[in-house]
Amino acid sequence: MSARAPKLEVEGLQKRFGGLTAVRDVSFSIQAGEILGLIGPNGSGKSTVMKSILGVERPDAGSVRVDGREVAGWPPHRIARLGVGMVFQHSRPLYRQTVIENIILGLLPDRLMHLLPLAATDARARAIAERVGLAGVLNRRPSTLPFADLRKMEIAKAIARDPQVVLIDEPFAGLTARETASFAALIAEMRADGRAVLIVDHNVKSISALVDRIYAMHVGERIAEGTVEEVMANPTVRKVYLGGALETAARPETAFGDAQTPFLEIDNLNVVYGKAQALENVSLHVHQGEFVAIVGLNGAGKTTLFNAVSGLVPYAGDIRRQGRTLRGRTAATIARDGVVQSPEGRELFGAMTVSENLDMGGHRLPDNVRAERREWLFDLFPVLKERRSQTAATLSGGEQQMLTIARALMMKPDLLILDEPTLGLAPVIMEQISKALARLRQATEMTVLLGEQNVTFALPHADRVYVLEHGRIAWEGDPSRFAAEAGARYL
Amino acid sequence: MLRRALLSPPVLISLIVVVVASTLPLYVSGYVLGLLTIAYYFGVFSMAWDLLFGFANEVNFGPSFLIGLGAYTAGILDSLYQPPIALCVAAGVIAAMIGGLVLALPALRVRGPYFGLTTLVAVLILQNFVVVAASLTGGEIGLTVPDVISIDDKVNYWIALGFMAVSGAILYGLSRSPVGLILEASGQDPVQAGALGFNVVKHKLAAFLVSAFFSGLAGALMAFYLGAASVGTFIDVTVGVQVIIGAVIGGRRTILGAALGAVFLVALGETLRPLGDLATFIVSAVALFVVLFFPAGLLGMVKGVREAT
Ligand SMILES: Nc1ncnc2c1ncn2[C@@H]1O[C@H](COP(=O)(O)OP(=O)(O)OP(=O)(O)O)[C@@H](O)[C@H]1O
Ligand SMILES: [Mg+2]
């Protein structure tokens, strides 16, 4: 390692939210041309560390030095101008502007008299778009972009300012293996350009391959630091973050009693948005108590399929529940009869507390059942219990995801639809959810329809798998055959 | 990009409309001209409001606070000392900009509805001041402004039209310029804007000042056109509501739409005036209808039709 001063030095960083110390005595430094990985369970304070470095959250104590300059306590725009850029955990594009305008924004100087657009700015924005792979969608609006392109746009905005220190919060969440690889390549390029990179992600495999060193946190504090091997082998890290391997337990289709009329039948489903055919002749069935995974890349049509089942989008074809058609029934009555969707977009009530969000989910249950159910969920997600009087909007990304799933479970669904439930979850939480689902499977007749592109999570739980590609069912079978017959694109 | 923005359909259409409008004095009555003169000043009020709401994302319920400051300061100065009109107008503009700063302070501290409330309070305070300081302001009877810019209807009409056209060009140009983009980013997501290195406070303050500049200027010019200023024409909350509704039915975040909406609203109100109280009701109903069914406003409606075909 060179003797030069580090690009970024963090020392004794501390951040409190009311009574909660989200970050406590965190210290590390990053050299130019180095990537430091920051890992830890959900809510351990990783995003807070990043926000405190950039000044979006004001640190309560400690020092943050950029190129040797003390910046703790500065407003974010001044820190950003010193050369710190951040890719936020959740994309926050300007929705009314096009992709190219969003990137141009990143290139503009902070001056009031900048009235005429420069051709050079436009050209640079195009070059950056080209580099991150957005050249084809320059004039589209963010709301029409697939998820991966939205994330690319955030990266494009961040590199537009040519930052020397780049903070990247969960770049791989929600991306497929191939997209993850191309993102990792972009980040490796930043290292090659001599930038100092701090990166947070729960995709342990990709992080391990990318970073130079790792810093692991738990409840706001350091638990380990060092090379990838050292940290991953650390017993505390294994216990609080990595957890054990997921267990598989597929049941054969003949094990389900409703072979004649499966619990859910979908026949020749077609959904068209404007000119785009989102689903084409999709037929599938799910037995009572069965766990079926729909595997598909971003934009393959998973969410559209689930929305059709929930009665949220118009469709052609037929969807039957226990032999009776759902056509013509409103989304509200479908939900009331026990088809509950845990949406990808989270859709929590941001200003309400965790408890209130859960009670909204269980508002139709008798008081004692609701209380019992809530205790059970708190048992399943202990962190939600600790955070029960915190508003949902201030939860960490993973905590929000847990709350979404918990709220869906609160409704005692007959059919639970989980849309990308693992987005942003630490491995150990995935294991917990996985165990909970296994327990549910034994204890109740709940049927589960899971949409995932994270096949490492989907396969172990599923009794059966459908692969959805470009709105069509491309493969169907049991998980043991998946790897050999359909896995190439997903594993 | 600039060239594309300058030759975009809304700009071309606006240009044609202004050219046609400038020929109106040759064939319409003085009554219609007078009406349109007022309507054009309202067009500027609405455009200035749209810059704050549509771009800086600040819901200002008190546009009439800025307008009233401009009108009354200019008017009072003229009634007391009769300096050159330009000086009175400049004083009105400065007063409005100071008012803009006063409004901006709470805006940068409290969010959304609370800020809206403070702007309403500002209007009420100004209104009360005018009533209480009657010896200076004319109180409830109103203030007589001794000088007028011109006594010729046509000249007054052309001044108002030209003023609206120039203000519209500047405000629209600003909204489409790089700083306009930064302002919109600051309004939509201040955290992100800060993270990109933009001083959100600076940009929002600038937006308040620009909005106040045009509101105050329009207010002062209108006072000199009317030769009078009263609470009912410049400060009352209903004036502010009319400015806001004009911008909203014209099309939020379009600037040009705001002028269209304001003119439409004044014209509609006047056409229906023979109906008495029923007129207010119909105007409100139309506004509600547009807001509910065409949230993008009149301009959005036109755009929607174009995109659908
Ligand atoms: N504004 C806030 N008010 C109160 N608590 C907060 C606030 N912001 C964050 N927290 C809490 O601080 C803790 C750390 O949050 P942070 O977002 O840093 O976690 P994280 O490590 O990024 O988690 P994840 O992996 O789930 O994204 C969480 O428990 C969260 O609930
Ligand atoms: Mg986080």
Side-chain angles (χ1 to χ4, degrees):
Chain A
M1 199 174 284
S2 77
R4 280 174 306 150
K7 277 273 166 208
L8 175 70
E9 278 175 284
V10 174
E11 217 177 290
L13 191 69
Q14 179 154 327
K15 177 68 200 175
R16 281 188 304 270
F17 295 111
L20 170 81
T21 305
V23 173
R24 188 196 304 267
D25 199 20
V26 163
S27 306
F28 55 77
S29 61
I30 314 179
Q31 302 283 338
E34 188 183 31
I35 304 181
L36 177 69
L38 187 57
I39 62 168
N42 296 115
S44 56
K46 305 177 300 295
S47 299
T48 307
V49 166
M50 288 195 162
K51 289 184 202 156
S52 307
I53 293 172
L54 189 60
V56 171
E57 300 285 2
R58 200 189 162 91
D60 292 310
S63 110
V64 175
R65 285 188 294 275
V66 176
D67 264 330
R69 265 301 253 296
E70 180 61 55
V71 300
W74 286 21
H77 67 270
R78 287 186 61 203
I79 299 179
R81 261 185 267 162
L82 264 192
V84 182
M86 176 154 178
V87 178
F88 286 90
Q89 180 163 1
H90 303 301
S91 300
R92 15 191 1 164
L94 298 179
Y95 283 103
R96 295 195 286 272
Q97 272 66 30
T98 59
V99 170
I100 185 87
E101 284 169 325
N102 266 279
I103 301 176
I104 286 176
L105 175 69
L107 290 165
L108 296 176
D110 184 29
R111 278 193 285 117
L112 284 175
M113 294 321 287
H114 192 59
L115 297 175
L116 295 180
L118 302 172
T121 314
D122 203 65
R124 264 203 70 200
R126 279 166 202 282
I128 291 168
E130 183 96 31
R131 180 160 163 201
V132 299
L134 286 174
V137 294
L138 286 181
N139 294 314
R140 300 225 333 235
R141 274 178 217 281
S143 52
T144 69
L145 290 187
F147 183 82
D149 283 352
L150 268 182
R151 300 301 290 164
K152 282 185 192 161
M153 198 174 88
E154 294 299 307
I155 296 218
K157 271 197 296 192
I159 56 181
R161 296 206 93 82
D162 193 22
Q164 292 309 298
V165 175
V166 197
L167 315 170
I168 313 179
D169 202 353
E170 301 205 18
F172 305 137
L175 297 189
T176 62
R178 188 180 302 179
E179 288 160 350
T180 301
S182 81
F183 263 59
L186 275 176
I187 296 166
E189 260 178 57
M190 294 183 187
R191 164 169 54 198
D193 292 344
R195 302 178 210 274
V197 180
L198 179 65
I199 180 172
V200 167
D201 207 281
H202 293 300
N203 183 336
V204 174
K205 209 165 88 184
S206 307
I207 282 288
S208 302
L210 182 63
V211 303
D212 300 304
R213 278 185 304 130
I214 286 198
Y215 188 98
M217 309 177 55
H218 180 46
V219 288
E221 288 182 286
R222 185 188 93 130
I223 49 171
E225 191 180 358
T227 65
V228 173
E229 293 74 29
E230 282 162 14
V231 172
M232 294 302 173
N234 180 300
T236 318
V237 173
R238 298 203 75 89
K239 177 160 160 285
V240 303
Y241 183 60
L242 294 172
L246 301 179
E247 287 156 29
T248 63
R251 293 162 295 181
E253 205 178 345
T254 49
F256 299 95
D258 55 353
Q260 293 303 314
T261 8
F263 183 79
L264 180 75
E265 292 166 284
I266 298 179
D267 278 341
N268 282 314
L269 189 67
N270 281 279
V271 175
V272 179
Y273 295 132
K275 285 188 199 123
Q277 178 121 22
L279 290 177
E280 198 179 336
N281 295 328
V282 168
S283 298
L284 56 84
H285 60 274
V286 182
H287 297 286
Q288 176 130 31
E290 195 181 23
F291 194 128
V292 169
I294 313 282
V295 168
L297 304 178
N298 288 316
K302 299 186 299 273
T303 301
T304 304
L305 173 64
F306 298 151
N307 284 343
V309 175
S310 299
L312 296 170
V313 293
Y315 55 86
D318 198 20
I319 301 179
R320 288 186 300 280
R321 175 182 167 171
Q322 289 161 311
R324 286 191 312 273
T325 184
L326 292 182
R327 171 172 291 285
R329 305 190 40 202
T330 62
T333 57
I334 294 176
R336 208 172 311 135
D337 291 345
V339 175
V340 172
Q341 187 170 351
S342 159
E344 187 182 23
R346 300 214 172 100
E347 293 171 19
L348 293 167
F349 300 101
M352 290 195 191
T353 66
V354 169
S355 286
E356 286 164 347
N357 267 285
L358 287 178
D359 288 346
M360 289 295 290
H363 72 280
R364 285 185 308 111
L365 302 175
D367 286 351
N368 57 332
V369 180
R370 183 169 58 225
E372 198 181 299
R373 192 85 181 163
R374 196 167 57 192
E375 277 321 302
W376 175 72
L377 285 167
F378 279 156
D379 193 39
L380 189 59
F381 300 110
V383 65
L384 291 185
K385 185 169 188 177
E386 283 165 34
R387 301 273 176 275
R388 62 180 173 268
S389 44
Q390 191 172 318
T391 55
T394 61
L395 293 176
S396 86
E399 289 163 351
Q400 291 184 13
Q401 188 67 32
M402 287 181 235
L403 182 55
T404 312
I405 299 173
R407 193 180 59 178
L409 284 172
M410 195 72 199
M411 300 188 204
K412 289 205 135 187
D414 298 319
L415 172 64
L416 173 64
I417 301 177
L418 292 170
D419 196 356
E420 299 271 354
T422 66
L423 196 74
L425 290 186
V428 68
I429 300 295
M430 283 200 235
E431 189 198 351
Q432 269 175 34
I433 294 179
S434 148
K435 287 204 176 120
L437 289 175
R439 251 194 288 159
L440 275 177
R441 210 153 84 160
Q442 281 150 17
T444 64
E445 276 283 76
M446 188 174 71
T447 308
V448 181
L449 193 54
L450 167 77
E452 263 295 348
Q453 52 176 329
N454 177 350
V455 289
T456 32
F457 179 80
L459 291 187
H461 301 98
D463 295 310
R464 241 158 8 94
V465 178
Y466 288 93
V467 173
L468 197 59
E469 274 176 14
H470 304 299
R472 263 171 286 184
I473 299 286
W475 186 83
E476 175 195 349
D478 66 68
S480 59
R481 286 170 24 226
F482 179 84
E485 296 176 22
R489 298 185 57 186
Y490 302 92
L491 290 169
Chain B
M1 214 174 64
L2 184 65
R3 173 156 323 140
R4 196 148 32 106
L6 287 183
L7 296 179
S8 67
V11 175
L12 289 178
I13 293 170
S14 309
L15 264 178
I16 294 170
V17 169
V18 168
V19 169
V20 172
S22 67
T23 64
L24 284 184
L26 304 181
Y27 37 81
V28 304
S29 69
Y31 164 74
V32 173
L33 285 186
L35 181 68
L36 284 174
T37 306
I38 297 287
Y40 294 160
Y41 286 120
F42 267 88
V44 177
F45 297 156
S46 289
M47 289 191 289
W49 183 83
D50 193 33
L51 184 76
L52 269 191
F53 173 72
F55 293 85
N57 202 17
E58 296 289 354
V59 191
N60 172 14
F61 287 127
S64 56
F65 174 67
L66 305 173
I67 298 165
L69 279 176
Y72 267 89
T73 308
I76 291 171
L77 198 61
D78 190 50
S79 73
L80 291 180
Y81 309 110
Q82 279 110 44
I85 290 181
L87 201 72
C88 300
V89 171
V93 168
I94 290 169
M97 287 174 79
I98 293 172
L101 279 181
V102 170
L103 279 190
L105 292 181
L108 300 170
R109 307 185 126 263
V110 294
R111 298 260 15 119
Y114 298 103
F115 168 65
L117 221 64
T118 59
T119 59
L120 267 183
V121 171
V123 173
L124 295 181
I125 292 176
L126 183 64
Q127 187 164 352
N128 277 320
F129 172 79
V130 169
V131 173
V132 171
S135 59
L136 191 67
T137 62
E140 295 184 80
I141 302 162
L143 175 76
T144 310
V145 181
D147 288 311
V148 287
I149 299 174
S150 164
I151 47 161
D152 185 342
D153 281 347
K154 293 180 183 165
V155 173
N156 279 320
Y157 173 88
W158 277 317
I159 289 175
L161 177 66
F163 172 60
M164 179 178 74
V166 171
S167 307
I170 294 174
L171 287 167
Y172 181 77
L174 260 182
S175 76
R176 298 283 137 161
S177 75
V179 269
L181 185 59
I182 298 174
L183 182 63
E184 207 172 343
S186 308
Q188 279 190 41
D189 187 344
V191 172
Q192 169 87 260
L196 285 173
F198 300 116
N199 186 345
V200 172
V201 173
K202 177 173 89 181
H203 288 277
K204 287 209 166 177
L205 265 182
F208 270 97
L209 287 177
V210 172
S211 181
F213 175 89
F214 283 101
S215 304
L217 184 56
L221 289 176
M222 189 165 127
F224 276 108
Y225 163 67
L226 292 173
S230 68
V231 169
T233 37
F234 286 105
I235 304 181
D236 198 82
V237 173
T238 54
V239 176
V241 169
Q242 181 160 13
V243 169
I244 294 172
I245 293 181
V248 170
I249 65 173
R252 282 167 287 179
R253 306 185 187 100
T254 58
I255 303 284
L256 299 180
L260 181 71
V263 172
F264 171 77
L265 209 58
V266 173
L268 186 68
E270 188 63 26
T271 328
L272 295 176
R273 203 161 61 180
L275 299 178
D277 279 345
L278 195 58
T280 324
F281 172 76
I282 295 176
V283 171
S284 316
V286 168
L288 197 65
F289 175 81
V290 174
V291 170
L292 286 180
F293 297 101
F294 301 94
L298 297 173
L299 212 64
M301 232 149 88
V302 179
K303 272 189 197 159
V305 170
R306 225 166 17 111
E307 270 157 31
T309 51

